[in-house]
Amino acid sequence: MNEYYDVLVVGAGPAGLAAAQAATSHGARVGLIDAQATAGGQVWRHDVRHAAPSLARRSIGGALTHSRVDWLARTQVVAVETGSLFVEDPRRGSRLDYGALVLATGARELLLPFPGWTLPGVTGAGGLQALAKQGWPLAGRRVLIAGSGPLLLAAAATAKRHGATVLGIYEQAGADAVRRFAGSLWRWPAKAIQAALLRGQLAGVPYRCGSVVRRALGDSTLRTVELEGPHGIEQVPCDQLAIGYGLLPNVELAQLLGCELRWEGAHPQVSTDIWQQTNIDTVYAAGEVCGIGGRDSARVEGAIAGHAAAGARSAAMALQPRRRHARAFAEALRTRFALDARVYALATPDTLICRCEDVALSDMDGYTDTRSAKLATRCGMGACQGRICGAALAELGRFSGGGQRPPLFPARLSTLGDTDFFPLATIEE
Amino acid sequence: MKTYDLIVVGAGIVGAACADYASAEGLRVAIVEPGPVGGGATAAAMGHLVAMDDDPAELALSRYSLELWESLSNLPQAEFSRCGTLWVASNERELASIPAKRARLAAAGVETEAIDSDTLYRLEPALAPGLAGGMRVPGEAVVYPPAVARHLVDRAVERGARMYSRRVAHIEYGGVRLDDDTRLQGPALIATGCALAQLLPTLPLRARKGHLVITDRHPGLVHHQLLELGYADSAHGDADSSVAFNVQPRPTGQILIGSSREFGSSTPEVSLPMVRRMLARSFRFLPALRQLDALRIWTGFRPVSPDGRPYLGRVPHEHQLWVAAGHEGLGITTSLGSARLVVDQLLGRATAIDASPYDPARVVA
Ligand SMILES: Cc1cc2nc3c(=O)[nH]c(=O)nc-3n(C[C@H](O)[C@H](O)[C@H](O)COP(=O)(O)OP(=O)(O)OC[C@H]3O[C@@H](n4cnc5c(N)ncnc54)[C@H](O)[C@@H]3O)c2cc1C
Ligand SMILES: Cc1cc2nc3c(=O)[nH]c(=O)nc-3n(C[C@H](O)[C@H](O)[C@H](O)COP(=O)(O)OP(=O)(O)OC[C@H]3O[C@@H](n4cnc5c(N)ncnc54)[C@H](O)[C@@H]3O)c2cc1C
């Protein structure tokens, strides 16, 4: 199956949904693909028990039900060629050709290794949210939330809504930094409302600043978390630890396409101009993939990208002030939630760094570049394709990741071997 | 200026083996390698240790080398796994070629078994129906090549070899000059694989690209390194591009799928048409592969001399210059024997096997 779309959007989170809708408003035929079964991205991830907020319902409905939008769920990008994406869904592989491409691939969590982080019962903060929304039972379980950034509040609220007993939220940033961040929220009313809402839902849940999880303890599953806070070290018995140190843009597809990246600290993000256009004329990027900014900047950037990709720059122009305002929030996030030095020193020599290939931190000693370390230890060669350990090693200042090759995600061999991506005549044996 | 008994240029598996053997023989060795040890063709290889019988010289060298590999069979990082090789015959014609093949291998001292079609499916139930039978070589193994190269270099360094993480910029009279202008004095052994022409342009060498695909873990799907008997045609034919069924069970339970051969492409990019063609071939023999997930795909370049044999020995018209390069798709297997052949000649010793088929002088008028 080959299809052509005027505008092909990868990712159906707030950015991709807004892009799809904006592009259709100019008559473009739009393909919207997402690896997930339902649209909404991270923030509006489908919840099996609770209805979506009204903004989510409107955004999702508006894009998916439009007659000029093909919604391609559970569709994963495998490889790229100029002007086409090779994708697979649970049934088959296919080629999608495009006039313009919008990358709205969002972000994932930064997970940093510490002793015990691979124990069953330990997940990312957003990871726990996703599990809860999928219907994983949390009722009556004692959950401790830790790490850094506003996502911890959202994770705590989701856990609580799903019946968990949230023992506390342990933020690594100091109290001053958090207070300054909260104090600046009035500049972003939507954020302030979101934060206040979360506070309401989180009444009674302790919020502790300057606190770091040192270890997760337990034999076959998590039993206790050891924390270091302003008042010393304490051990807290619990059933579940949800811990995340912030978000990282999913730039792999952009990288495979050859888009220019910018480094924000140790991690890359896609660089664009004010039209959300990358250095490749036909490729646009919007939302978290261009730098962590949250839902509101994702929506406005998505709309700009959708308009511009459909050739309607004047509509995109009108959104510029909103874009600048929303992006300023990202800046506040970044400066307030900088990671504490203690966080970098948690992993001990025998802490696993690559859980796919069982590689410990000390196995990496003596290597100064990714490739040597990878060749010798296989770190990053497993099923996650280095997305977790690669980011952690970059964050820990060891070394940063390499290039991208297809398959972008593990892909079925039948997709690669049976799909008629190319005219048969060119490949017959 | 530093003086050495031997300057090994390039630390792929071949250079690493040379440095290891030379240092074990008491030579003062320098190793020059700008990249990661074993980061060239060696990192891309399948790591199948196999006796190829289509050329008597290649058979002698692989046989000699396989014996030497036994000394590394207990090295944990080598991931040595004696899975054996199972050559698969698709039809009666291929089946009929087996007795002669077995005789050639037996003459070289390689033990083999003829496999009828019932036994074939008992050994490898996942093979596609309708195959005629095959030949098993029980003693053959697979290894993880870059880790072996690294081990050989580490061992040489422990014996006093000196590692220079630089590139050799030129060969000069009596030694080499590095890209930071350091000069090293002494006989040089060029083991730069596909980059040979940069230092030794008189020895013709082409790069033949290959693709490999590795899957997620499916322990027990296949047990042997599986190759189609038509493999040698593909491997040594001169076609611009070819594919053959060549599948390996990794000790992790992953399955490594080859193989493609292609002249004329010099960029490392993965070619989806080539991957498709290679996989289509492997599905024909192992349909269950269709359901597996590919985790990674990579490419590598095999260094190919005009007659397919490596250059092992003194560079013609030079006294202080030696070469060990051009091992095509068999350089992991033949690295250990190659090292002995070259270093024994350098030391003026008799070689364990006849060295003349590999003499670089054969291509220089
Ligand atoms: C785990 C996690 C939980 C979060 N929870 C919240 C929360 O509760 N509240 C909040 O305000 N913010 C949350 N965020 C922040 C979130 O990033 C933003 O709020 C917002 O969702 C960003 O929108 P986006 O459209 O840029 O990306 P996303 O919402 O991340 O959407 C990106 C979409 O692209 C898809 N995708 C990516 N790559 C491919 C590919 N190659 N092929 C096909 N599909 C692909 C993904 O499946 C995803 O659906 C969370 C972030 C993460 C990582
Ligand atoms: C896809 C594929 C599969 C294969 N499978 C197998 C298999 O299963 N079994 C088998 O036996 N063989 C296999 N091979 C063949 C094998 O990989 C090669 O024959 C072997 O690795 C060659 O080793 P080398 O040391 O000569 O070259 P390389 O490993 O390429 O090493 C050459 C080194 O020289 C260095 N160098 C280059 N220029 C300079 C310079 N100027 N100064 C200093 N250093 C320099 C390079 O950085 C490099 O590290 C395979 C090859 C490929 C491509």
Side-chain angles (χ1 to χ4, degrees):
Chain A
M1 186 194 76
N2 293 354
E3 280 288 342
Y4 175 84
Y5 296 104
D6 302 318
V7 178
L8 181 58
V9 181
V10 183
L17 291 165
Q21 202 158 23
T24 53
S25 70
H26 307 288
R29 178 148 187 270
V30 174
L32 175 61
I33 78 175
D34 201 295
Q36 301 291 324
T38 50
Q42 297 290 1
V43 58
W44 298 326
R45 184 184 280 276
H46 177 71
D47 190 323
V48 294
R49 283 208 212 99
H50 300 274
S54 64
L55 179 60
R57 280 203 305 273
R58 267 184 284 128
S59 302
I60 295 171
L64 266 49
T65 57
H66 198 285
S67 63
R68 297 187 69 81
V69 175
D70 266 1
W71 161 232
L72 306 170
R74 300 176 75 187
T75 300
Q76 188 89 264
V77 179
V78 173
V80 304
E81 283 278 313
T82 310
S84 333
L85 296 184
F86 302 117
V87 302
E88 78 174 17
D89 66 21
R91 284 173 306 136
R92 62 172 187 276
S94 42
R95 191 178 96 199
L96 308 178
D97 300 334
Y98 57 82
L101 180 67
V102 178
L103 305 177
T105 50
R108 60 174 177 271
E109 270 184 288
L110 172 62
L111 304 177
L112 292 176
F114 56 91
W117 73 294
T118 55
L119 271 177
V122 181
T123 63
L128 182 73
Q129 259 188 316
L131 286 172
K133 290 183 175 183
Q134 280 158 31
W136 203 65
L138 277 182
R141 287 176 70 83
R142 296 164 302 168
V143 175
L144 196 144
I145 313 262
S148 197
L151 179 59
L152 303 188
L153 297 171
T158 306
K160 204 168 163 219
R161 193 162 357 107
H162 284 261
T165 306
V166 179
L167 300 176
I169 301 169
Y170 294 83
E171 163 64 54
Q172 60 86 39
D176 283 355
V178 173
R179 220 172 291 124
R180 274 199 304 274
F181 175 73
S184 65
L185 275 186
W186 62 267
R187 291 180 55 209
W188 297 274
K191 298 280 172 204
I193 293 167
Q194 219 183 344
L197 269 174
L198 287 174
R199 268 200 306 277
Q201 290 163 18
L202 293 172
V205 174
Y207 185 82
R208 305 250 185 276
C209 297
S211 300
V212 168
V213 169
R214 288 162 49 97
R215 294 191 287 167
L217 304 163
D219 339 306
S220 55
T221 178
L222 176 71
R223 302 249 173 264
T224 308
V225 171
E226 184 176 292
L227 290 151
E228 182 185 331
H231 308 297
I233 293 177
E234 58 174 322
Q235 296 206 340
V236 182
C238 67
D239 306 311
Q240 196 74 39
L241 168 63
I243 180 164
Y245 284 100
L247 303 178
L248 301 172
N250 289 322
V251 298
E252 291 74 13
L253 175 55
Q255 219 179 342
L256 193 61
L257 286 158
C259 296
E260 200 173 285
L261 304 178
R262 273 185 306 130
W263 261 256
E264 174 71 52
H267 309 286
Q269 57 196 41
V270 179
S271 127
T272 68
D273 62 14
I274 60 164
W275 313 107
Q276 304 301 134
Q277 192 173 29
T278 69
N279 59 310
I280 301 172
D281 283 353
T282 51
V283 181
Y284 296 75
E288 304 286 59
V289 72
C290 304
I292 303 309
R295 183 195 69 191
D296 299 329
S297 57
R299 290 180 64 219
V300 64
E301 289 183 1
I304 292 173
H307 288 306
R313 289 208 165 173
S314 54
M317 192 65 203
L319 297 170
Q320 292 300 333
R322 271 180 57 203
R323 171 184 189 266
R324 282 191 295 274
H325 182 68
R327 269 291 159 194
F329 175 73
E331 191 53 25
L333 263 184
R334 191 175 63 79
T335 49
R336 300 302 181 226
F337 290 92
L339 293 187
D340 187 303
R342 278 179 302 171
V343 172
Y344 296 105
L346 293 172
T348 57
D350 58 355
T351 303
L352 282 188
I353 179 100
C354 170
R355 54 200 300 182
C356 301
E357 295 291 326
D358 288 350
V359 182
L361 186 63
S362 61
D363 295 334
M364 311 299 284
D365 292 345
Y367 300 104
T368 50
D369 67 289
T370 319
R371 220 172 100 76
S372 300
K374 220 170 138 168
L375 281 179
T377 66
R378 284 184 210 280
C379 183
M381 291 195 180
C384 89
Q385 298 175 313
R387 282 180 172 78
I388 295 172
C389 58
L393 284 167
E395 183 67 34
L396 296 180
R398 290 281 179 131
F399 23 71
S400 61
Q404 278 298 322
R405 272 186 309 237
L408 196 58
F409 290 95
R412 273 190 318 280
L413 290 179
S414 59
T415 298
L416 296 165
D418 292 337
T419 310
D420 186 10
F421 290 145
F422 296 91
L424 253 183
T426 64
I427 68 150
E428 251 332 88
E429 277 168 44
Chain B
M1 191 181 359
K2 295 279 196 329
T3 303
Y4 293 95
D5 299 328
L6 184 64
I7 304 159
V8 177
V9 184
I13 189 96
V14 174
C18 293
D20 175 51
Y21 180 56
S23 65
E25 294 305 297
L27 302 191
R28 284 170 308 154
V29 173
I31 305 167
V32 188
E33 168 59 63
V37 167
T42 300
M46 266 190 143
H48 181 206
L49 305 179
V50 57
M52 292 297 237
D53 63 283
D54 39 325
D55 169 24
E58 198 155 58
L59 178 56
L61 184 60
S62 39
R63 168 77 188 118
Y64 175 40
S65 300
L66 286 169
E67 226 167 78
L68 298 169
W69 271 103
E70 292 299 324
S71 70
L72 295 170
S73 63
N74 290 320
L75 178 74
Q77 61 269 40
E79 299 180 27
F80 189 100
S81 153
R82 201 184 301 280
C83 57
T85 305
L86 188 54
W87 293 88
V88 178
S90 321
N91 51 40
E92 293 305 318
R93 188 179 54 80
E94 284 181 4
L95 198 64
S97 73
I98 288 178
K101 195 175 171 68
R102 291 191 63 210
R104 285 192 297 273
L105 288 164
V110 180
E111 187 199 327
T112 64
E113 298 160 11
I115 300 294
D116 61 24
S117 95
D118 287 350
T119 315
L120 184 71
Y121 291 106
R122 197 169 45 70
L123 292 173
E124 295 290 353
L127 281 173
L131 297 168
M135 178 186 86
R136 185 167 116 150
V137 190
E140 290 181 344
V142 302
V143 293
Y144 181 54
V148 176
R150 177 99 212 177
H151 169 77
L152 296 175
V153 165
D154 288 348
R155 201 155 76 172
V157 168
E158 271 163 35
R159 297 188 191 112
R162 169 85 191 268
M163 180 83 195
Y164 292 87
S165 295
R166 310 292 330 186
R167 172 172 296 278
V168 167
H170 324 275
I171 297 171
E172 293 181 342
Y173 184 75
V176 300
R177 188 169 293 275
L178 309 188
D179 56 359
D180 64 350
D181 231 28
T182 307
R183 188 178 147 82
L184 308 180
Q185 182 90 18
L189 166 48
I190 312 302
T192 55
C194 284
L196 191 67
Q198 188 218 326
L199 298 176
L200 297 177
T202 55
L203 299 180
L205 198 79
R206 291 206 284 170
R208 205 172 189 188
K209 185 171 173 176
H211 283 78
L212 292 175
V213 176
I214 192 153
T215 70
D216 52 358
R217 300 181 184 207
H218 289 270
L221 181 68
V222 295
H223 307 279
H224 297 79
Q225 173 103 24
L226 296 171
L227 287 100
E228 61 175 301
L229 267 166
Y231 176 82
D233 302 340
S234 147
H236 302 290
D238 216 21
D240 274 351
S241 72
S242 64
V243 295
F245 170 62
N246 184 2
V247 158
Q248 176 182 104
R250 296 297 311 164
T252 54
Q254 291 172 291
I255 293 171
L256 186 53
I257 304 168
S259 61
S260 73
R261 291 171 190 260
E262 156 187 29
F263 285 123
S265 168
S266 55
T267 60
E269 272 81 52
V270 168
S271 149
L272 291 176
M274 189 50 89
V275 169
R276 181 177 175 209
R277 197 172 141 187
M278 185 172 95
L279 289 175
R281 185 87 196 161
S282 67
F283 295 166
R284 207 185 275 185
F285 288 86
L286 210 54
L289 287 179
R290 279 205 167 85
Q291 274 30 275
L292 271 47
D293 277 350
L295 290 192
R296 291 181 298 124
I297 304 175
W298 67 90
T299 63
F301 291 91
R302 308 172 181 91
V304 190
S305 70
D307 60 5
R309 293 176 188 165
Y311 301 120
L312 303 172
R314 194 194 297 271
V315 176
H317 317 302
E318 300 278 351
H319 283 293
Q320 292 268 69
L321 204 51
W322 299 76
V323 62
H327 293 73
E328 237 255 81
L330 206 56
I332 305 304
T333 308
T334 54
S335 56
L336 301 184
S338 298
R340 301 226 166 182
L341 228 58
V342 178
V343 174
D344 283 340
Q345 291 183 71
L346 179 125
L347 293 172
R349 295 181 184 163
T351 53
I353 61 170
D354 178 12
S356 61
Y358 318 102
D359 185 350
R362 71 190 188 276
V363 298
V364 179

